[in-house]
mmCIF file of all heavy atoms in Angstrom:
data_model
loop_
_atom_site.group_PDB
_atom_site.id
_atom_site.type_symbol
_atom_site.label_atom_id
_atom_site.label_comp_id
_atom_site.label_asym_id
_atom_site.label_seq_id
_atom_site.Cartn_x
_atom_site.Cartn_y
_atom_site.Cartn_z
ATOM 1 N N ASP A 1 0.823 -1.203 0.000
ATOM 2 C CA ASP A 1 0.000 0.000 0.000
ATOM 3 C C ASP A 1 0.859 1.255 0.000
ATOM 4 O O ASP A 1 0.528 2.253 -0.654
ATOM 5 C CB ASP A 1 -0.933 0.008 1.217
ATOM 6 C CG ASP A 1 -2.021 -1.044 1.133
ATOM 7 O OD1 ASP A 1 -2.313 -1.504 0.004
ATOM 8 O OD2 ASP A 1 -2.574 -1.421 2.185
ATOM 9 N N VAL A 2 1.961 1.223 0.752
ATOM 10 C CA VAL A 2 2.838 2.391 0.838
ATOM 11 C C VAL A 2 3.450 2.707 -0.522
ATOM 12 O O VAL A 2 3.527 3.865 -0.932
ATOM 13 C CB VAL A 2 3.945 2.162 1.886
ATOM 14 C CG1 VAL A 2 4.918 3.327 1.913
ATOM 15 C CG2 VAL A 2 3.333 1.968 3.270
ATOM 16 N N VAL A 3 3.879 1.681 -1.250
ATOM 17 C CA VAL A 3 4.522 1.883 -2.552
ATOM 18 C C VAL A 3 3.498 2.192 -3.630
ATOM 19 O O VAL A 3 3.741 3.017 -4.527
ATOM 20 C CB VAL A 3 5.349 0.639 -2.928
ATOM 21 C CG1 VAL A 3 5.869 0.734 -4.360
ATOM 22 C CG2 VAL A 3 6.501 0.460 -1.954
ATOM 23 N N ARG A 4 2.333 1.565 -3.547
ATOM 24 C CA ARG A 4 1.347 1.709 -4.612
ATOM 25 C C ARG A 4 0.863 3.160 -4.769
ATOM 26 O O ARG A 4 0.652 3.627 -5.888
ATOM 27 C CB ARG A 4 0.140 0.803 -4.345
ATOM 28 C CG ARG A 4 -0.818 0.708 -5.533
ATOM 29 C CD ARG A 4 -2.102 -0.026 -5.152
ATOM 30 N NE ARG A 4 -1.837 -1.333 -4.600
ATOM 31 C CZ ARG A 4 -1.632 -2.416 -5.349
ATOM 32 N NH1 ARG A 4 -1.653 -2.302 -6.658
ATOM 33 N NH2 ARG A 4 -1.410 -3.584 -4.772
ATOM 34 N N GLY A 5 0.718 3.880 -3.647
ATOM 35 C CA GLY A 5 0.199 5.243 -3.715
ATOM 36 C C GLY A 5 1.006 6.153 -4.618
ATOM 37 O O GLY A 5 0.469 6.696 -5.607
ATOM 38 N N PRO A 6 2.308 6.366 -4.354
ATOM 39 C CA PRO A 6 3.088 7.252 -5.222
ATOM 40 C C PRO A 6 3.253 6.730 -6.643
ATOM 41 O O PRO A 6 3.343 7.509 -7.585
ATOM 42 C CB PRO A 6 4.442 7.350 -4.502
ATOM 43 C CG PRO A 6 4.492 6.181 -3.593
ATOM 44 C CD PRO A 6 3.076 5.907 -3.189
ATOM 45 N N VAL A 7 3.294 5.393 -6.808
ATOM 46 C CA VAL A 7 3.415 4.844 -8.158
ATOM 47 C C VAL A 7 2.170 5.171 -8.973
ATOM 48 O O VAL A 7 2.258 5.587 -10.141
ATOM 49 C CB VAL A 7 3.654 3.325 -8.106
ATOM 50 C CG1 VAL A 7 3.543 2.716 -9.503
ATOM 51 C CG2 VAL A 7 5.019 3.023 -7.510
ATOM 52 N N ASP A 8 0.994 5.011 -8.376
ATOM 53 C CA ASP A 8 -0.250 5.332 -9.081
ATOM 54 C C ASP A 8 -0.294 6.808 -9.460
ATOM 55 O O ASP A 8 -0.717 7.171 -10.572
ATOM 56 C CB ASP A 8 -1.462 4.974 -8.217
ATOM 57 C CG ASP A 8 -1.687 3.471 -8.126
ATOM 58 O OD1 ASP A 8 -1.056 2.734 -8.916
ATOM 59 O OD2 ASP A 8 -2.477 3.029 -7.266
ATOM 60 N N LEU A 9 0.131 7.682 -8.543
ATOM 61 C CA LEU A 9 0.121 9.116 -8.834
ATOM 62 C C LEU A 9 1.074 9.459 -9.974
ATOM 63 O O LEU A 9 0.732 10.233 -10.878
ATOM 64 C CB LEU A 9 0.492 9.909 -7.582
ATOM 65 C CG LEU A 9 -0.568 9.994 -6.481
ATOM 66 C CD1 LEU A 9 -0.022 10.737 -5.275
ATOM 67 C CD2 LEU A 9 -1.824 10.692 -6.999
ATOM 68 N N GLN A 10 2.274 8.898 -9.951
ATOM 69 C CA GLN A 10 3.227 9.152 -11.016
ATOM 70 C C GLN A 10 2.743 8.580 -12.347
ATOM 71 O O GLN A 10 2.943 9.174 -13.407
ATOM 72 C CB GLN A 10 4.587 8.548 -10.653
ATOM 73 C CG GLN A 10 5.284 9.239 -9.498
ATOM 74 C CD GLN A 10 5.665 10.670 -9.828
ATOM 75 O OE1 GLN A 10 6.167 10.960 -10.910
ATOM 76 N NE2 GLN A 10 5.414 11.578 -8.901
ATOM 77 N N GLN A 11 2.079 7.448 -12.276
ATOM 78 C CA GLN A 11 1.567 6.829 -13.499
ATOM 79 C C GLN A 11 0.477 7.689 -14.126
ATOM 80 O O GLN A 11 0.437 7.876 -15.344
ATOM 81 C CB GLN A 11 1.028 5.429 -13.181
ATOM 82 C CG GLN A 11 0.647 4.615 -14.411
ATOM 83 C CD GLN A 11 0.305 3.184 -14.047
ATOM 84 O OE1 GLN A 11 0.298 2.811 -12.875
ATOM 85 N NE2 GLN A 11 0.030 2.373 -15.047
ATOM 86 N N LEU A 12 -0.386 8.254 -13.295
ATOM 87 C CA LEU A 12 -1.450 9.119 -13.813
ATOM 88 C C LEU A 12 -0.892 10.428 -14.342
ATOM 89 O O LEU A 12 -1.418 10.996 -15.308
ATOM 90 C CB LEU A 12 -2.473 9.403 -12.703
ATOM 91 C CG LEU A 12 -3.341 8.227 -12.265
ATOM 92 C CD1 LEU A 12 -4.176 8.609 -11.047
ATOM 93 C CD2 LEU A 12 -4.253 7.784 -13.407
ATOM 94 N N GLY A 13 0.186 10.932 -13.723
ATOM 95 C CA GLY A 13 0.728 12.217 -14.118
ATOM 96 C C GLY A 13 1.681 12.162 -15.291
ATOM 97 O O GLY A 13 1.994 13.197 -15.879
ATOM 98 N N ASN A 14 2.176 10.970 -15.661
ATOM 99 C CA ASN A 14 3.129 10.867 -16.758
ATOM 100 C C ASN A 14 2.436 10.883 -18.104
ATOM 101 O O ASN A 14 1.239 10.611 -18.219
ATOM 102 C CB ASN A 14 3.951 9.574 -16.620
ATOM 103 C CG ASN A 14 5.196 9.782 -15.775
ATOM 104 O OD1 ASN A 14 6.115 10.479 -16.190
ATOM 105 N ND2 ASN A 14 5.212 9.184 -14.598
ATOM 106 N N ASN A 15 3.240 11.188 -19.138
ATOM 107 C CA ASN A 15 2.669 11.199 -20.482
ATOM 108 C C ASN A 15 2.427 9.778 -20.964
ATOM 109 O O ASN A 15 2.925 8.809 -20.404
ATOM 110 C CB ASN A 15 3.593 11.962 -21.446
ATOM 111 C CG ASN A 15 4.963 11.324 -21.544
ATOM 112 O OD1 ASN A 15 5.082 10.174 -21.938
ATOM 113 N ND2 ASN A 15 5.992 12.070 -21.186
ATOM 114 N N ALA A 16 1.675 9.679 -22.040
ATOM 115 C CA ALA A 16 1.247 8.371 -22.543
ATOM 116 C C ALA A 16 2.393 7.570 -23.151
ATOM 117 O O ALA A 16 2.217 6.387 -23.450
ATOM 118 C CB ALA A 16 0.130 8.557 -23.574
ATOM 119 N N ASN A 17 3.566 8.185 -23.348
ATOM 120 C CA ASN A 17 4.686 7.476 -23.956
ATOM 121 C C ASN A 17 5.471 6.636 -22.955
ATOM 122 O O ASN A 17 6.466 6.025 -23.329
ATOM 123 C CB ASN A 17 5.628 8.481 -24.632
ATOM 124 C CG ASN A 17 4.991 9.133 -25.846
ATOM 125 O OD1 ASN A 17 4.216 8.500 -26.558
ATOM 126 N ND2 ASN A 17 5.305 10.398 -26.070
ATOM 127 N N ILE A 18 5.065 6.644 -21.697
ATOM 128 C CA ILE A 18 5.742 5.839 -20.675
ATOM 129 C C ILE A 18 4.782 4.768 -20.170
ATOM 130 O O ILE A 18 3.706 5.081 -19.676
ATOM 131 C CB ILE A 18 6.231 6.711 -19.500
ATOM 132 C CG1 ILE A 18 7.198 7.783 -19.979
ATOM 133 C CG2 ILE A 18 6.895 5.832 -18.438
ATOM 134 C CD1 ILE A 18 7.713 8.683 -18.883
ATOM 135 N N ALA A 19 5.190 3.522 -20.302
ATOM 136 C CA ALA A 19 4.380 2.402 -19.821
ATOM 137 C C ALA A 19 4.929 1.933 -18.481
ATOM 138 O O ALA A 19 6.148 1.904 -18.276
ATOM 139 C CB ALA A 19 4.395 1.259 -20.832
ATOM 140 N N PHE A 20 4.035 1.559 -17.582
ATOM 141 C CA PHE A 20 4.431 1.082 -16.255
ATOM 142 C C PHE A 20 4.158 -0.412 -16.142
ATOM 143 O O PHE A 20 3.091 -0.894 -16.528
ATOM 144 C CB PHE A 20 3.663 1.829 -15.167
ATOM 145 C CG PHE A 20 4.232 3.183 -14.826
ATOM 146 C CD1 PHE A 20 4.064 4.254 -15.690
ATOM 147 C CD2 PHE A 20 4.937 3.389 -13.652
ATOM 148 C CE1 PHE A 20 4.586 5.500 -15.400
ATOM 149 C CE2 PHE A 20 5.473 4.628 -13.347
ATOM 150 C CZ PHE A 20 5.291 5.694 -14.228
ATOM 151 N N ASP A 21 5.140 -1.137 -15.618
ATOM 152 C CA ASP A 21 5.001 -2.570 -15.337
ATOM 153 C C ASP A 21 5.054 -2.745 -13.824
ATOM 154 O O ASP A 21 6.097 -2.516 -13.200
ATOM 155 C CB ASP A 21 6.124 -3.363 -16.003
ATOM 156 C CG ASP A 21 6.156 -3.170 -17.511
ATOM 157 O OD1 ASP A 21 5.073 -3.237 -18.131
ATOM 158 O OD2 ASP A 21 7.247 -2.937 -18.063
ATOM 159 N N ILE A 22 3.940 -3.144 -13.240
ATOM 160 C CA ILE A 22 3.823 -3.274 -11.791
ATOM 161 C C ILE A 22 3.774 -4.752 -11.424
ATOM 162 O O ILE A 22 2.982 -5.520 -11.980
ATOM 163 C CB ILE A 22 2.557 -2.564 -11.265
ATOM 164 C CG1 ILE A 22 2.485 -1.139 -11.813
ATOM 165 C CG2 ILE A 22 2.540 -2.566 -9.755
ATOM 166 C CD1 ILE A 22 3.650 -0.261 -11.444
ATOM 167 N N ASP A 23 4.600 -5.157 -10.477
ATOM 168 C CA ASP A 23 4.646 -6.555 -10.028
ATOM 169 C C ASP A 23 4.664 -6.572 -8.495
ATOM 170 O O ASP A 23 5.722 -6.489 -7.882
ATOM 171 C CB ASP A 23 5.881 -7.253 -10.592
ATOM 172 C CG ASP A 23 5.902 -8.746 -10.269
ATOM 173 O OD1 ASP A 23 4.872 -9.266 -9.774
ATOM 174 O OD2 ASP A 23 6.951 -9.387 -10.496
ATOM 175 N N PHE A 24 3.469 -6.661 -7.901
ATOM 176 C CA PHE A 24 3.332 -6.681 -6.448
ATOM 177 C C PHE A 24 2.743 -8.015 -6.013
ATOM 178 O O PHE A 24 1.929 -8.612 -6.723
ATOM 179 C CB PHE A 24 2.396 -5.561 -5.973
ATOM 180 C CG PHE A 24 2.928 -4.168 -6.207
ATOM 181 C CD1 PHE A 24 2.072 -3.074 -6.155
ATOM 182 C CD2 PHE A 24 4.268 -3.945 -6.472
ATOM 183 C CE1 PHE A 24 2.546 -1.789 -6.364
ATOM 184 C CE2 PHE A 24 4.752 -2.669 -6.683
ATOM 185 C CZ PHE A 24 3.896 -1.588 -6.633
ATOM 186 N N PRO A 25 3.108 -8.503 -4.830
ATOM 187 C CA PRO A 25 2.500 -9.742 -4.310
ATOM 188 C C PRO A 25 1.003 -9.557 -4.067
ATOM 189 O O PRO A 25 0.529 -8.435 -3.846
ATOM 190 C CB PRO A 25 3.259 -9.980 -3.001
ATOM 191 C CG PRO A 25 4.500 -9.166 -3.102
ATOM 192 C CD PRO A 25 4.154 -7.977 -3.945
ATOM 193 N N ALA A 26 0.282 -10.667 -4.088
ATOM 194 C CA ALA A 26 -1.156 -10.604 -3.831
ATOM 195 C C ALA A 26 -1.464 -10.435 -2.355
ATOM 196 O O ALA A 26 -2.421 -9.751 -1.976
ATOM 197 C CB ALA A 26 -1.836 -11.866 -4.367
ATOM 198 N N ALA A 27 -0.639 -11.029 -1.504
ATOM 199 C CA ALA A 27 -0.864 -10.960 -0.056
ATOM 200 C C ALA A 27 -0.132 -9.761 0.536
ATOM 201 O O ALA A 27 0.895 -9.322 0.013
ATOM 202 C CB ALA A 27 -0.391 -12.240 0.619
ATOM 203 N N PRO A 28 -0.645 -9.209 1.641
ATOM 204 C CA PRO A 28 0.031 -8.075 2.299
ATOM 205 C C PRO A 28 1.445 -8.444 2.748
ATOM 206 O O PRO A 28 1.729 -9.595 3.090
ATOM 207 C CB PRO A 28 -0.874 -7.776 3.496
ATOM 208 C CG PRO A 28 -2.208 -8.336 3.129
ATOM 209 C CD PRO A 28 -1.926 -9.544 2.294
ATOM 210 N N VAL A 29 2.331 -7.445 2.737
ATOM 211 C CA VAL A 29 3.716 -7.612 3.181
ATOM 212 C C VAL A 29 3.965 -6.557 4.268
ATOM 213 O O VAL A 29 4.122 -5.375 3.972
ATOM 214 C CB VAL A 29 4.715 -7.443 2.023
ATOM 215 C CG1 VAL A 29 6.143 -7.612 2.533
ATOM 216 C CG2 VAL A 29 4.409 -8.430 0.904
ATOM 217 N N THR A 30 3.986 -6.985 5.516
ATOM 218 C CA THR A 30 4.064 -6.053 6.633
ATOM 219 C C THR A 30 5.502 -5.816 7.049
ATOM 220 O O THR A 30 6.280 -6.759 7.209
ATOM 221 C CB THR A 30 3.275 -6.606 7.838
ATOM 222 O OG1 THR A 30 1.924 -6.845 7.431
ATOM 223 C CG2 THR A 30 3.275 -5.597 8.972
ATOM 224 N N ILE A 31 5.859 -4.525 7.201
ATOM 225 C CA ILE A 31 7.172 -4.160 7.712
ATOM 226 C C ILE A 31 7.023 -2.970 8.659
ATOM 227 O O ILE A 31 5.977 -2.314 8.685
ATOM 228 C CB ILE A 31 8.169 -3.790 6.597
ATOM 229 C CG1 ILE A 31 7.771 -2.452 5.943
ATOM 230 C CG2 ILE A 31 8.283 -4.884 5.563
ATOM 231 C CD1 ILE A 31 8.856 -1.875 5.059
ATOM 232 N N GLN A 32 8.072 -2.714 9.420
ATOM 233 C CA GLN A 32 8.135 -1.518 10.250
ATOM 234 C C GLN A 32 8.732 -0.385 9.414
ATOM 235 O O GLN A 32 9.852 -0.503 8.919
ATOM 236 C CB GLN A 32 9.020 -1.764 11.480
ATOM 237 C CG GLN A 32 8.385 -2.615 12.564
ATOM 238 C CD GLN A 32 7.530 -1.782 13.518
ATOM 239 O OE1 GLN A 32 7.385 -0.573 13.344
ATOM 240 N NE2 GLN A 32 6.961 -2.431 14.511
ATOM 241 N N CYS A 33 7.975 0.708 9.224
ATOM 242 C CA CYS A 33 8.487 1.814 8.421
ATOM 243 C C CYS A 33 7.709 3.086 8.730
ATOM 244 O O CYS A 33 6.671 3.054 9.395
ATOM 245 C CB CYS A 33 8.404 1.499 6.926
ATOM 246 S SG CYS A 33 6.703 1.478 6.263
ATOM 247 N N ASP A 34 8.245 4.194 8.248
ATOM 248 C CA ASP A 34 7.527 5.462 8.260
ATOM 249 C C ASP A 34 6.915 5.615 6.870
ATOM 250 O O ASP A 34 7.639 5.875 5.902
ATOM 251 C CB ASP A 34 8.492 6.620 8.553
ATOM 252 C CG ASP A 34 7.787 7.968 8.657
ATOM 253 O OD1 ASP A 34 6.816 8.197 7.912
ATOM 254 O OD2 ASP A 34 8.215 8.803 9.479
ATOM 255 N N PRO A 35 5.602 5.442 6.718
ATOM 256 C CA PRO A 35 5.007 5.431 5.384
ATOM 257 C C PRO A 35 5.199 6.738 4.624
ATOM 258 O O PRO A 35 5.352 6.737 3.398
ATOM 259 C CB PRO A 35 3.522 5.150 5.657
ATOM 260 C CG PRO A 35 3.313 5.513 7.088
ATOM 261 C CD PRO A 35 4.602 5.236 7.775
#
């Protein structure tokens, strides 16, 4: 969830000439971090 937010924003804000390949696990991955 922490990574997906900024990636989605950058993907929406970029021009159509840049394609994004996203590879995230299906299950949650919990870590200790400052989101």
Side-chain angles (χ1 to χ4, degrees):
D1 291 339
V2 176
V3 172
R4 190 189 305 276
V7 170
D8 287 348
L9 287 176
Q10 292 295 316
Q11 188 172 3
L12 290 173
N14 271 292
N15 61 60
N17 292 326
I18 301 180
F20 279 74
D21 301 314
I22 310 300
D23 186 10
F24 294 163
V29 179
T30 303
I31 70 167
Q32 285 275 2
C33 71
D34 183 324

